[in-house]
Amino acid sequence: MVLKTLSLSVYSLCKRCTWNRTSRFDSTIKGSLDKLSLRLEYICRSGFSGTLFSTLYYQHSMEDTWSTLPVSRTEVEISTVLSCGQSFRWKQLETDSSTWIGVFANKVWILKQTDTEILYKVYHGMEKDNDKDKVNEEKFRHLLYNYFQLEVSLESLYKDWSTRDERFANLTVQDYRGIRMLNQDCVENLFSFICSSNNNIARISQMVEKLCLYYGDKIADVEGKTYYDFPAVEKLIGDKVEKKLREEKFGYRAGYIAKTAATIVDNGGVKWLENLRNVGYEEARKQLQTLSGIGRKVADCICLMSLGYSQVIPIDTHMHQIAKQYLPHLSKLKTLTDKSYSEIADYFQTLHGEYAGWAHSVLFASTLRHLKKEVVIEKKETSSVDQTSNANLDLPCKTTKNKKHPRLGTVIDTSTMKAKDRRNNSSECTDINQVKKRKR
């Protein structure tokens, strides 16, 4: 058994070497490795039971097969969309920063992009059925197409927004190219944004990964890492779950997660949540706000990102600042109120139409790019500002190493926090200004 296992390992290594066209091995060594790999393949096929070998062999086959989805960068720029804080399960490969790996639809995906197409690989840890290869290929392409909502033409939307809003007409291609909303699973989206309260992208991503690690089902081993699906709602219920999550530094969010999971199950489970797509935006938001840890802003994020309400605009302090350019009287308000929240949302929904939520994400992202340019200038002048990270497209905002920059700090949503949680949350707060206030 040990010999067979070793044979499979050497076989895998040989295949990796011989399949790599950029390898520095000369043709003689490659030829020898090819012969050795074929011999080991025969040994492995002869000695292994079908399930184990076919699973591993399928994954190795997938590693060297890129499938394609034709689409231009003007319609989707994956480097922006996957890093802007809509989903928290995407990362760049350490070996190739232009390639992304993440999880959706119960599968592990590796994506990279050219000017004319998205290249992708799919891993799901199951046996390969040769009779269904073509069927699976079409299925995967359809999943990816729907995930990026490519049925919506950004080019048409940009033209429409430019006629409605002169600020859009003044944006350059770099400001808005390929920024679109993902079509996410509503369960994962909901619990991810419960984790977003008073948080930054890096910590939210860590929390989401912990939820998957402790309570999700294994999908596959890819690039030396094990990937897990997002857990079923039922697995997030109970005192043990809350205790475990508090041990893992979820703070007050641990209680929100356990209570919300229980409420969703009591309301009818995932079907109840998915049915919110059919009840209209106002009712959907109202129902979401009955769940622990979900205020108006988070409810709007869920409605926009996973329930199909494309007109919804989540309002945070950054969007509040953008709105002041359109509604100057808002400059008199130092903080965002429920009244001003509604006023801003209504204004932009009227201005930008059915896809106002998509339009606001473009404005927000373009503004943050300008802010990043300002930070670079400040760094040259003072030599005291570190390089900033990409900011979140929506909420919450991604933190930066330059914590002194007041406009790029963490957005803190305290609308669903209890007074005790606010007082005891200083260790979790990543906004340097908030920390300084507490120290005083």
Side-chain angles (χ1 to χ4, degrees):
M1 183 63 187
V2 174
L3 178 60
K4 292 176 182 177
T5 304
L6 178 60
S7 298
L8 180 60
S9 299
V10 176
Y11 163 70
S12 174
L13 176 61
C14 292
K15 295 300 285 185
R16 285 176 180 271
C17 292
T18 57
W19 285 335
N20 185 0
R21 295 182 179 179
T22 62
S23 175
R24 296 181 180 178
F25 291 106
D26 59 34
S27 58
T28 302
I29 297 176
K30 282 188 176 182
S32 298
L33 288 175
D34 272 328
K35 292 178 181 179
L36 177 59
S37 65
L38 289 173
R39 191 175 291 272
L40 289 172
E41 179 179 354
Y42 173 78
I43 295 173
C44 293
R45 284 185 179 277
S46 300
F48 277 90
S49 60
T51 300
L52 176 60
F53 179 79
S54 57
T55 298
L56 295 174
Y57 186 77
Y58 176 40
Q59 290 189 0
H60 288 306
S61 299
M62 286 295 295
E63 287 177 1
D64 298 280
T65 305
W66 286 101
S67 300
T68 60
L69 176 63
V71 61
S72 69
R73 290 183 183 273
T74 57
E75 286 297 322
V76 57
E77 180 65 62
I78 66 172
S79 62
T80 302
V81 175
L82 299 181
S83 65
C84 65
Q86 295 185 57
S87 172
F88 302 97
R89 304 211 64 192
W90 291 96
K91 294 181 180 180
Q92 293 167 296
L93 288 182
E94 294 181 0
T95 56
D96 183 2
S97 60
S98 67
T99 303
W100 293 80
I101 185 166
V103 177
F104 76 90
N106 313 111
K107 297 168 181 59
V108 182
W109 300 73
I110 296 181
L111 308 178
K112 63 181 180 180
Q113 187 171 22
T114 69
D115 289 338
T116 59
E117 59 190 5
I118 294 176
L119 294 90
Y120 64 93
K121 301 176 184 178
V122 186
Y123 299 80
H124 51 90
M126 293 287 100
E127 296 182 56
K128 184 180 181 181
D129 187 340
N130 293 324
D131 295 333
K132 296 182 178 180
D133 284 352
K134 293 183 179 180
V135 175
N136 285 336
E137 183 61 31
E138 286 301 316
K139 177 183 177 181
F140 297 152
R141 185 178 289 110
H142 183 69
L143 286 172
L144 192 61
Y145 185 91
N146 285 341
Y147 185 67
F148 285 110
Q149 302 195 75
L150 294 178
E151 74 279 4
V152 180
S153 170
L154 282 187
E155 184 178 0
S156 298
L157 288 178
Y158 291 148
K159 289 180 180 179
D160 180 47
W161 295 332
S162 295
T163 60
R164 293 166 173 260
D165 182 353
E166 64 179 12
R167 286 179 173 80
F168 259 98
N170 294 329
L171 291 177
T172 65
V173 173
Q174 287 74 24
D175 286 322
Y176 62 72
R177 184 176 73 171
I179 300 174
R180 60 170 56 241
M181 303 307 299
L182 298 172
N183 180 21
Q184 299 184 64
D185 173 74
C186 54
V187 173
E188 179 177 332
N189 185 229
L190 183 148
F191 285 101
S192 295
F193 273 86
I194 288 180
C195 294
S196 75
S197 177
N198 187 23
N199 219 338
N200 60 76
I201 290 179
R203 288 197 66 226
I204 300 168
S205 299
Q206 292 173 2
M207 289 180 177
V208 172
E209 287 303 315
K210 286 180 179 179
L211 289 175
C212 298
L213 174 64
Y214 295 129
Y215 305 108
D217 296 327
K218 178 180 176 180
I219 301 175
D221 294 310
V222 183
E223 296 290 327
K225 179 181 177 181
T226 302
Y227 287 84
Y228 298 86
D229 201 7
F230 196 84
V233 178
E234 292 78 6
K235 293 185 178 181
L236 299 176
I237 299 174
D239 294 337
K240 291 184 178 180
V241 172
E242 180 176 350
K243 181 180 179 181
K244 176 64 176 178
L245 295 182
R246 287 189 181 276
E247 291 174 354
E248 295 297 328
K249 311 302 181 183
F250 277 64
Y252 58 85
R253 306 172 193 87
Y256 291 161
I257 290 171
K259 292 176 183 177
T260 291
T263 302
I264 291 175
V265 171
D266 290 342
N267 288 345
V270 177
K271 289 184 178 180
W272 170 81
L273 188 59
E274 292 177 342
N275 188 58
L276 295 181
R277 296 188 178 104
N278 306 316
V279 299
Y281 161 62
E282 293 292 342
E283 181 62 23
R285 189 190 72 191
K286 179 181 177 181
Q287 292 297 321
L288 288 171
Q289 287 187 252
T290 64
L291 303 174
S292 297
I294 298 182
R296 181 171 182 178
K297 178 179 61 180
V298 171
D300 281 346
C301 288
I302 298 166
C303 284
L304 173 64
M305 299 179 189
S306 61
L307 295 181
Y309 295 104
S310 57
Q311 78 278 16
V312 176
I313 303 174
I315 310 295
D316 71 339
T317 55
H318 292 290
M319 193 58 197
H320 188 201
Q321 294 301 316
I322 294 173
K324 291 177 181 179
Q325 301 174 26
Y326 293 81
L327 303 170
H329 66 276
L330 294 177
S331 299
K332 299 177 181 179
L333 299 176
K334 295 183 178 180
T335 59
L336 185 65
T337 65
D338 288 340
K339 182 178 179 181
S340 58
Y341 190 114
S342 297
E343 181 181 3
I344 293 170
D346 291 343
Y347 176 83
F348 282 107
Q349 286 173 7
T350 301
L351 179 63
H352 294 139
E354 180 182 359
Y355 286 89
W358 291 42
H360 119 274
S361 67
V362 175
L363 286 175
F364 190 54
S366 66
T367 301
L368 287 174
R369 284 193 178 90
H370 298 157
L371 291 178
K372 287 170 64 178
K373 291 178 182 178
E374 293 176 9
V375 174
V376 173
I377 294 174
E378 183 179 349
K379 178 178 180 179
K380 292 180 179 179
E381 294 177 347
T382 65
S383 300
S384 63
V385 180
D386 293 329
Q387 184 179 3
T388 60
S389 303
N390 286 332
N392 188 2
L393 181 65
D394 238 307
L395 303 177
C397 180
K398 186 174 184 178
T399 56
T400 67
K401 294 181 180 179
N402 172 30
K403 295 182 179 179
K404 292 183 179 181
H405 199 295
R407 288 177 292 180
L408 295 181
T410 300
V411 178
I412 299 177
D413 181 9
T414 58
S415 61
T416 60
M417 292 173 58
K418 297 179 181 179
K420 181 179 179 180
D421 290 327
R422 295 192 190 99
R423 291 194 300 269
N424 295 335
N425 197 47
S426 60
S427 63
E428 298 175 340
C429 182
T430 56
D431 189 320
I432 194 66
N433 295 321
Q434 295 290 333
V435 174
K436 285 182 178 180
K437 290 180 180 179
R438 289 186 173 91
K439 288 182 178 180
R440 293 172 186 171

